Amino acid sequence: MLEVLETIEAMRAAAREWQRQGHRIALVPTMGSLHQGHLALVDQAHREADRVVVSIFVNPLQFGPNEDLVRYPRTFDQDRARLEEGAACALFYPSAQEMYPEGRSQTIVVVDHLSRILCGVARPGHFAGVTTVVAKLFNIIEPDVAVFGEKDWQQLTIVKHMVRDLNSPVRVVGVPTVRETSGLALSSRNKYLSLEQHEAAPALYRGLLRAQEHWRAGERDREVMRQVVTDSITAVGISCEYVAVVDPDTLSESPRTLSGPTLIALAAHLGKTRLIDNILLEETQD
Ligand code: PAF
């Protein structure tokens, strides 16, 4: 039975009661508009703990002034029904007023350098909004484990750093990206795509797979890899915001000659819709 909790007090009381009973709690933070990718996070959460809390909160703090806060898809009834089919135990669904009673938070949690690179360049303040709300959720629910998708690799990395830097007793777990059969990574923002854009969008993952083929064939030149991805994307008329070839842990640019695990991450624009994706290349794939 899925319990919907709308206040911090009720959420905290339920979580404390589970802890008192000796249960382990896993948190899946979301902004709703749930799809199979989110449900994969919930499945993983069940493997990690015996009580699963899903939060749905479209966090105003992580949207820039010209971003899609107002049109971000809000599908609460559908989301609740999807979670009722699965085995989530509680749905934390606070209002903006509940989370930010003063309108904005005076306290901001910033993972400094990592928040300013890659997606942080075009979205200043975005990751500070994410880490602030995630820190709040961690303080409210006090989960043992928190589960995030690897599609948002930079977000996952930043949250791992936050937890380490603040000595937070939460274990952060990443879950592989779920994709459509076309290869397009599932995202709530895919709903914005026109039919034509939806047909073009799998080029993002195709580009990443092409880079993976080059990697498997022994290519280790960073710029060649970057170009392979960029060419695949721009060939179908998609505009690239960035294609980065980086260390998967530090997100710093890889040396010109690649060695060891390498992440290729990208952001691209299809009309007004901004999509991200990534692929991890490992030596064992040779
Ligand atoms: O990935 C998301 O949906 C959001 O950034 C998160 C982690 C729920 C924080 O608002």
Side-chain angles (χ1 to χ4, degrees), residues 59 61 99-109 132-133 136:
N59 173 34
L61 215 59
M99 289 297 272
Y100 301 114
E102 289 167 20
R104 280 192 95 74
S105 179
Q106 290 212 44
T107 304
I108 302 293
V109 179
T132 301
V133 82
K136 283 166 76 73

Side-chain angles (χ1 to χ4, degrees), residues 28-32 38 41 55-59 62-63 72 126-127 129-131 133-134 137 147-149 152 155 159 188:
V28 182
T30 82
M31 298 205 298
H38 294 111
L41 304 184
S55 64
I56 295 183
F57 179 60
V58 182
N59 173 34
Q62 68 188 73
F63 289 80
Y72 196 85
H126 165 68
F127 288 114
V130 171
T131 38
V133 82
V134 169
L137 292 169
V147 184
F148 294 82
D152 298 279
Q155 169 173 280
V159 172
S188 304

Side-chain angles (χ1 to χ4, degrees), residues 238-250:
I238 299 177
S239 108
C240 260
E241 182 182 305
Y242 70 81
V243 174
V245 183
V246 300
D247 178 293
D249 295 322
T250 64

Side-chain angles (χ1 to χ4, degrees), residues 138-270:
F138 285 2
N139 284 335
I140 294 164
I141 298 159
E142 298 181 352
D144 298 282
V145 180
V147 184
F148 294 82
E150 288 180 353
K151 182 178 78 72
D152 298 279
W153 189 284
Q154 186 175 6
Q155 169 173 280
L156 173 64
T157 306
I158 287 173
V159 172
K160 281 181 181 166
H161 271 77
M162 176 186 83
V163 158
R164 211 176 305 155
D165 288 349
L166 298 182
N167 307 103
S168 177
V170 181
R171 194 160 58 81
V172 176
V173 171
V175 173
T177 304
V178 179
R179 298 179 181 280
E180 292 182 0
T181 43
S182 67
L184 176 63
L186 296 191
S187 161
S188 304
R189 290 190 166 99
N190 291 352
K191 286 184 181 161
Y192 300 151
L193 299 173
S194 68
L195 205 61
E196 207 175 74
Q197 289 168 338
H198 197 270
E199 275 169 14
L204 304 185
Y205 190 52
R206 267 203 311 277
L208 294 170
L209 288 179
R210 237 164 245 165
Q212 185 183 59
E213 278 166 28
H214 279 68
W215 174 269
R216 286 178 174 166
E219 181 61 71
R220 288 295 182 272
D221 186 298
R222 183 190 68 211
E223 292 313 310
V224 171
M225 299 295 264
R226 197 202 308 270
Q227 204 55 50
V228 164
V229 179
T230 308
D231 288 349
S232 302
I233 296 172
T234 52
V236 297
I238 299 177
S239 108
C240 260
E241 182 182 305
Y242 70 81
V243 174
V245 183
V246 300
D247 178 293
D249 295 322
T250 64
L251 303 184
S252 52
E253 185 171 68
S254 300
R256 178 74 196 239
T257 303
L258 304 173
S259 69
T262 298
L263 183 82
I264 307 187
L266 63 85
H269 294 262
L270 290 94

